[in-house]
Amino acid sequence: MMPEIRDLVESPPDIEAAAFLDHQLALNMMVLPLKQEEDRLWLAMADTSNFQVINDLQTITGFFIEPVLAQETDIRYQINQLYGRAKIENIASQFLVDENLRRNEYQLNNELRAQIQNAPTVQLVDSLIESATLHRASDIHIEPYESVLRARFRIDGRLTDMQTINTSLLPNVISRLKIMAGMNIAEKRLPQDGHFNLVIHDEPIDFRLSTLPTLYGEKAVLRLLYDHQERFNIHDLGFFPEDLHNLDRLFKNPYGAVIITGPTGSGKSTTLTSFLAELNKGHVNIVTVEDPVENPIEGINHVPIDPKVGLDFPRALRHILRQDPDIIMVGEIRDRETAAIATQAAITGHLVLSTLHTNDAAGVFPRLVDMGVEPFMVAASLNGVIAQRLVRRLCSFCKDVSAPNSLEAKLLNLAPEAVICAAKGCKQCGYTGYKGRFAIYEYIILNEQRRQKMAAAKYEPSEISKILKESGRSMLENSVPNLLAGHTSAEEVIRVVLRE
């Protein structure tokens, strides 16, 4: 008879029990201390019949082990939550980059090498990185001030203070990061960029490092890019099934342009790359031009912009058109020449995908005209536009059922009797009430009738907004079903849609 599987959410582990196993051992053996009483230690295990592991753990801990069956995914999640909030200085060093260190040894004098290889510095940097991955942070900020060195993580779009560090460690910390990223540790007066890769808890992660000289020393920002399969699943982006079907058809047009718009950090590149991954078939030639290339996909030709050698967006695009492309992805339309080449390519038999900075979908059309693209070219080249924002997802462990207050009901056009959910906060979400993000969006798919209407309206944003309303729901209207389904809160929708 199969033993009952323990629900680790309903019966969370005792924090004090974690002290009987260190973090790495718990991960290696995939076991989680639940509680300790007298000479017994209860452990959650994915395989309670593995007597060798049980015997080894009895020897290691000195306790009689009481195995408890649980799902491996739940055990891993609880391990990360339980140990992830421990003091950063006490997290074991996991991932030394000895090859990079040896490769750059010729740059270092003996004294500096000894400082950078100093165990506290290495452990501090490695611990910051590991802690960030446990929190699924997208960025690590290491910021020097007059009296303190501050470490902050961007989690679900918001920066959170994580640690203060003695300022005397700044040179060693920055040098350690530069060595990992293959950068020049002797150059401290100019900004630098680099990258490196690590495998952390069996997950490959790409890191992009940027350093910048400030008044009190160099600031470092690390961008964390997690596993491609997790990042590029179009079904996890937040689109409703009917809309996803419409957009999938839009992206499968053989020619024309599709533009995704929104502010910095709104997930434009992730959405674009997710659809690009779906289009990545053996019978098409896909070429991208980006600054920088952050999401490389096998089977796609990625061209990085390099201003130092004169390779900018227009020059790269002109040469890409000679490479027999079927699909071209332009990381961002920034200037008139790029816009002109991209729209020309879209009407000459290529599918062109790109991003643009505007506040909404309606703003794309006048923006392209302002950049110097002829109005008839805008109408002829565009197949569709998507505008999106990212809202935080309510924590499924602690969200509270509530009713909208009068202001929320008015701003979001909700019935007073509507049932929604609000953020509460628990240890599962770091007491923020939210865990993860998803897209809210609006889009317009162009047909001949809409093209004629836009041309007649001379691309006035107010008139194009009317056309948009005729063809689909606005971003605010699209957010309401997510609100009523308990995916996010009224406060979050108002913050993102009405206040940004």
Side-chain angles (χ1 to χ4, degrees):
M1 182 177 178
M2 187 73 175
E4 180 182 356
I5 298 179
R6 172 77 66 89
D7 187 334
L8 297 181
V9 176
E10 295 294 331
S11 304
D14 181 358
I15 294 177
E16 294 182 358
F20 296 107
L21 283 181
D22 68 40
H23 188 190
Q24 189 58 47
L25 185 62
L27 277 171
N28 289 344
M29 293 188 166
M30 199 47 60
V31 296
L32 176 70
L34 297 176
K35 67 175 182 177
Q36 179 268 326
E37 291 181 0
E38 297 180 349
D39 63 343
R40 295 177 181 269
L41 180 64
W42 279 258
L43 291 177
M45 303 177 63
D47 181 8
T48 55
S49 63
N50 193 331
F51 299 110
Q52 182 62 52
V53 170
I54 293 173
N55 289 334
D56 289 345
L57 288 168
Q58 287 183 158
T59 301
I60 292 169
T61 64
F63 291 105
F64 181 81
I65 299 299
E66 294 280 2
V68 177
L69 186 62
Q71 295 281 0
E72 181 175 335
T73 54
D74 291 344
I75 294 173
R76 183 180 294 275
Y77 176 82
Q78 292 289 346
I79 287 174
N80 289 345
Q81 291 296 311
L82 194 62
Y83 291 94
R85 302 195 67 84
K87 290 183 179 179
I88 288 177
E89 295 90 340
N90 294 330
I91 300 176
S93 175
Q94 301 294 327
F95 16 82
L96 303 179
V97 193
D98 294 329
E99 291 184 7
N100 276 339
L101 188 59
R102 286 194 296 270
R103 191 182 305 128
N104 289 275
E105 277 190 343
Y106 69 92
Q107 299 179 8
L108 312 177
N109 59 43
N110 291 333
E111 181 182 353
L112 185 55
R113 185 188 302 122
Q115 290 176 345
I116 295 171
Q117 289 180 310
N118 182 264
T121 303
V122 171
Q123 289 180 6
L124 174 60
V125 171
D126 292 347
S127 298
L128 281 170
I129 291 174
E130 182 178 13
S131 183
T133 63
L134 294 179
H135 287 87
R136 306 307 286 181
S138 61
D139 300 86
I140 303 172
H141 289 240
I142 299 175
E143 304 167 323
Y145 296 96
E146 185 175 11
S147 58
V148 71
L149 182 62
R150 179 172 66 170
R152 295 195 289 173
F153 295 168
R154 187 175 294 279
I155 303 171
D156 293 337
R158 290 203 160 187
L159 281 171
T160 302
D161 285 355
M162 295 303 296
Q163 188 78 5
T164 55
I165 306 164
N166 191 299
T167 53
S168 64
L169 286 175
L170 175 63
N172 290 352
V173 169
I174 298 298
S175 294
R176 172 65 178 167
L177 289 171
K178 286 182 177 180
I179 288 173
M180 295 172 76
M183 294 158 59
N184 182 2
I185 66 167
E187 179 56 74
K188 301 180 180 181
R189 300 167 299 172
L190 296 174
Q192 292 190 69
D193 296 302
H195 65 91
F196 57 94
N197 311 97
L198 297 172
V199 177
I200 303 174
H201 306 317
D202 299 324
E203 180 181 19
I205 302 176
D206 299 331
F207 294 83
R208 298 290 185 267
L209 174 64
S210 172
T211 61
L212 181 72
T214 70
L215 180 62
Y216 297 109
E218 288 182 282
K219 173 182 176 177
V221 175
L222 270 174
R223 167 66 54 88
L224 284 69
L225 302 172
Y226 296 93
D227 181 67
H228 287 168
Q229 289 185 347
E230 176 184 320
R231 286 184 280 155
F232 302 147
N233 188 338
I234 61 173
H235 300 285
D236 294 335
L237 296 175
F239 294 106
F240 295 118
E242 180 183 352
D243 294 330
L244 188 57
H245 175 72
N246 293 335
L247 294 175
D248 188 53
R249 291 175 57 192
L250 172 65
F251 277 91
K252 287 180 178 176
N253 280 314
Y255 56 86
V258 179
I259 292 181
I260 301 182
T261 185
T264 301
S266 59
K268 300 186 298 297
S269 295
T270 298
T271 297
L272 194 58
T273 309
S274 297
F275 280 100
L276 200 63
E278 290 290 308
L279 297 171
N280 184 24
K281 309 297 182 183
H283 60 273
V284 294
N285 176 23
I286 303 176
V287 187
T288 77
V289 52
E290 304 166 73
D291 182 24
V293 176
E294 289 193 340
N295 301 313
I297 299 174
E298 187 173 351
I300 293 178
N301 305 285
H302 298 279
V303 178
I305 290 302
D306 189 352
K308 295 178 182 177
V309 297
L311 184 61
D312 54 14
F313 277 106
R315 186 172 186 179
L317 272 176
R318 283 193 293 269
H319 285 274
I320 285 171
L321 289 172
R322 301 170 191 166
Q323 291 280 314
D324 186 31
D326 297 293
I327 300 171
I328 303 169
M329 195 272 270
V330 184
E332 182 184 345
I333 295 177
R334 297 177 179 176
D335 53 59
R336 176 177 181 175
E337 193 173 2
T338 303
I341 298 172
T343 52
Q344 182 67 38
I347 64 174
T348 55
H350 306 89
L351 178 62
V352 177
L353 313 177
S354 191
T355 68
L356 195 65
H357 287 283
T358 63
N359 291 328
D360 53 26
V364 168
F365 308 97
R367 175 71 178 133
L368 287 173
V369 173
D370 289 343
M371 293 178 78
V373 181
E374 293 291 341
F376 76 90
M377 288 286 286
V378 175
S381 62
L382 277 179
N383 288 340
V385 174
I386 305 168
Q388 73 174 53
R389 302 284 194 280
L390 293 179
V391 294
R392 291 181 294 170
R393 190 184 297 275
L394 283 169
C395 174
S396 59
F397 298 108
C398 67
K399 61 184 178 183
D400 264 352
V401 176
S402 67
N405 59 40
S406 58
L407 179 60
E408 291 171 342
K410 179 180 179 181
L411 291 175
L412 302 176
N413 196 26
L414 297 173
E417 66 274 11
V419 177
I420 61 175
C421 291
K424 182 181 178 182
C426 66
K427 66 180 181 181
Q428 305 290 350
C429 59
Y431 300 96
T432 64
Y434 299 93
K435 194 167 185 65
R437 291 189 292 174
F438 64 94
I440 53 174
Y441 55 91
E442 63 186 20
Y443 65 91
I444 179 170
I445 297 176
L446 300 185
N447 54 29
E448 194 57 37
Q449 182 182 16
R450 289 171 189 155
R451 286 190 175 94
Q452 291 176 3
K453 283 185 176 181
M454 287 193 303
K458 296 182 179 179
Y459 301 94
E460 286 294 330
S462 59
E463 294 299 319
I464 295 175
S465 293
K466 292 178 183 177
I467 299 171
L468 177 63
K469 289 179 181 178
E470 294 172 5
S471 62
R473 295 179 298 191
S474 69
M475 191 176 297
L476 183 60
E477 290 168 337
N478 264 327
S479 67
V480 172
N482 280 305
L483 184 60
L484 296 176
H487 298 156
T488 191
S489 66
E491 177 187 23
E492 183 72 358
V493 171
I494 291 171
R495 179 185 71 85
V496 173
V497 179
L498 298 180
R499 292 180 183 171
E500 281 197 346

